[in-house]
Amino acid sequence: MASNLPAPEGADLQDQPTAGAWGEWNPTEDSVRPVRGKHRVAKPRGGLARSSTVLGVGVIAAVGAGGIATAQDRPQVAISMPSFPGLTDDADDAGDSGDSGRDAANGPGSSDRADTASGAPAARAGLLTQHAQSGSGAGEVLLNRILQQAESQQDAASAQDRAQAELAAKEAAAKEAKEQAEAARRAADKEAEDARVAAEKVAADAKAKADAAAEQARGAKASGAFSLPTSAYTLTSHYGDSGSMWSSGHHTGLDFAAPTGTPVKAVGSGKITSAGWSGAYGYRIVLQLDDGTEIWYCHLSSMSVTSGAVGAGETIGRVGATGNVTGAHLHLEVRKGGSTTDPLAWLTSKGLNV
C-alpha cells in the first residue's frame, strides 16, 4: 500500500522507497509485537474479585468472630490492591472523563498518578471496613456450623453408646437364658438318670422275686409233694446247738430268720392237729403229714389255718416273734414218734435245697 504522506524537507524524492521496494505489509501474530504502555481495561462489575490478600483479611475476620481475634482489633495496614470492584459506575465514568482532561494538561502518566493519589486510599479503607463487617457475619456462621457439627458428633456418639449398651444387655440376657437352659437340661438329665436307676432297681427286685418263686416251684416239683416252709430267710440256729436259751440245753429245731409277716407254708400235704398259744413256743401250729410225721411251726405272729387238711406249699401262718425269742424267726421242728430229728437233714432228704 503506497503512503500519501508528504516527504520530509530536504529529502530527495529519489531516496523514497516505493511500494515495490517495501512490499505489501501483511501483519501476522508473529510479526505484530504487543503494544506497550498504559491501556485502560473495562473493570469487572457485579461481583467482588478477591486477591489472596483480600481472602486473608476475610479469614482473619472470620476467626475473630469466634472469640480469638478480629481484623478490627489490629491496626490497619496499607495493602496493594490490583483492583477495587467496590467503586460505583459513576465514579468510574467520572474518573474516565477526568483522566482525559488531566492527560491532556499534564502529559503522559498524569492519569496513573492521579488515580493512585486520590481514589485508591479511599477505596482501600472502604474495602477493609466492608470485609471486616462481612467477615464478622461469616465467623458467626462458621462458629455455628462448628457447634452444629460438634452437637451432631455428640448425638452420634450417644447413639453409638446406647446401641452398645443395648447390645451388651441382649448378650447378657442371652447368656443368662443359655445358662438357665443348661441348668434345666442338667436337672432333667439327673431326674431321668434317677428314674432309670429306680426302674432298674424295681426290675431287679421283681426279677429276684420271680427267680425265687421259680426256684421254689422247681424245688417243690423236684420233691414231688414237698415245699420249703418259708422264703427270704437266713438260717441262724441249727439242730443240736447248745445254750442257756433252750430249756433242754440244746436246740431242738432249725431257725429260719425272716421279717415279721413272711408267709409260712405247709412242707407237705396233711392235716392240722393243733393251733394256738404254747408257752415258750408262742403261737404254734402242728401239721401231721400223711406218713405220721409232725411238723411244728413256732413263734408265729398269726395263724391262717387252724384245722383241716392242707396241701404242700399252702400258706398256714406268718413269721413272728412270740414266746421265748430274741427276734422274728420261724422255729421249725420235725418229730417222729414223739422224738425230734434234724429238720435240715429231713428237708434235704425230701429233695429240698435249704
Side-chain angles (χ1 to χ4, degrees):
M1 180 178 180
S3 176
N4 296 323
L5 295 176
E9 295 181 0
D12 190 357
L13 294 175
Q14 295 177 356
D15 296 335
Q16 297 296 323
T18 62
W22 291 97
E24 185 178 358
W25 181 52
N26 186 15
T28 64
E29 65 179 5
D30 293 335
S31 64
V32 177
R33 295 181 180 179
V35 180
R36 296 183 181 179
K38 178 176 177 61
H39 296 274
R40 299 182 63 85
V41 180
K43 298 178 182 179
R45 298 173 183 176
L48 179 62
R50 296 184 179 181
S51 66
S52 60
T53 306
V54 175
L55 293 176
V57 173
V59 171
I60 294 174
V63 174
I68 299 176
T70 63
Q72 294 177 349
D73 296 334
R74 299 179 180 274
Q76 296 182 358
V77 179
I79 300 174
S80 177
M81 306 293 291
S83 61
F84 305 98
L87 298 178
T88 63
D89 295 342
D90 295 339
D92 291 342
D93 296 339
D96 293 342
S97 62
D99 287 343
S100 61
R102 284 191 300 272
D103 291 344
N106 298 328
S110 61
S111 177
D112 296 338
R113 289 191 300 271
D115 289 341
T116 305
S118 61
R124 284 197 297 269
L127 184 61
L128 289 174
T129 303
Q130 181 180 358
H131 276 286
Q133 293 175 355
S134 63
S136 176
E140 292 179 357
V141 172
L142 178 60
L143 178 59
N144 292 333
R145 183 176 299 175
I146 293 174
L147 293 177
Q148 290 176 358
Q149 291 178 354
E151 185 177 358
S152 299
Q153 293 176 357
Q154 184 176 3
D155 294 341
S158 300
Q160 185 177 4
D161 292 340
R162 287 194 299 270
Q164 292 178 354
E166 292 177 357
L167 180 60
K170 290 180 180 178
E171 291 178 352
K175 182 179 179 181
E176 184 178 359
K178 183 178 179 181
E179 291 177 353
Q180 292 178 355
E182 184 66 19
R185 185 187 64 80
R186 288 196 297 266
D189 292 343
K190 186 177 183 303
E191 291 179 358
E193 181 66 17
D194 293 343
R196 184 185 65 80
V197 172
E200 290 179 354
K201 183 178 180 181
V202 171
D205 293 343
K207 184 177 181 299
K209 292 180 179 180
D211 293 342
E215 182 66 22
Q216 182 177 356
R218 286 193 299 271
K221 184 177 180 181
S223 63
F226 293 93
S227 173
L228 290 174
T230 187
S231 60
Y233 60 85
T234 301
L235 297 178
T236 55
S237 298
H238 293 74
Y239 180 80
D241 290 344
S242 60
S244 59
M245 296 180 61
W246 303 291
S247 60
S248 60
H250 64 278
H251 194 226
T252 57
L254 182 64
D255 289 345
F256 295 81
T260 300
T262 302
V264 174
K265 301 176 181 181
V267 295
S269 59
K271 63 179 180 180
I272 295 175
T273 59
S274 175
W277 184 262
S278 182
Y281 287 107
Y283 288 104
R284 182 191 68 172
I285 293 177
V286 177
L287 171 62
Q288 185 179 10
L289 300 179
D290 295 338
D291 63 356
T293 303
E294 290 184 352
I295 309 297
W296 289 12
Y297 300 88
C298 306
H299 309 303
L300 301 177
S301 60
S302 63
M303 299 177 291
S304 303
V305 181
T306 58
S307 62
V310 294
E314 183 180 347
T315 300
I316 59 176
R318 302 283 176 175
V319 173
T322 58
N324 186 16
V325 296
T326 56
H329 69 281
L330 169 64
H331 176 83
L332 183 71
E333 288 189 7
V334 178
R335 291 176 178 263
K336 289 183 177 182
S339 299
T340 61
T341 186
D342 186 0
L344 180 59
W346 184 84
L347 293 172
T348 303
S349 67
K350 300 304 181 182
L352 299 175
N353 186 14
V354 183

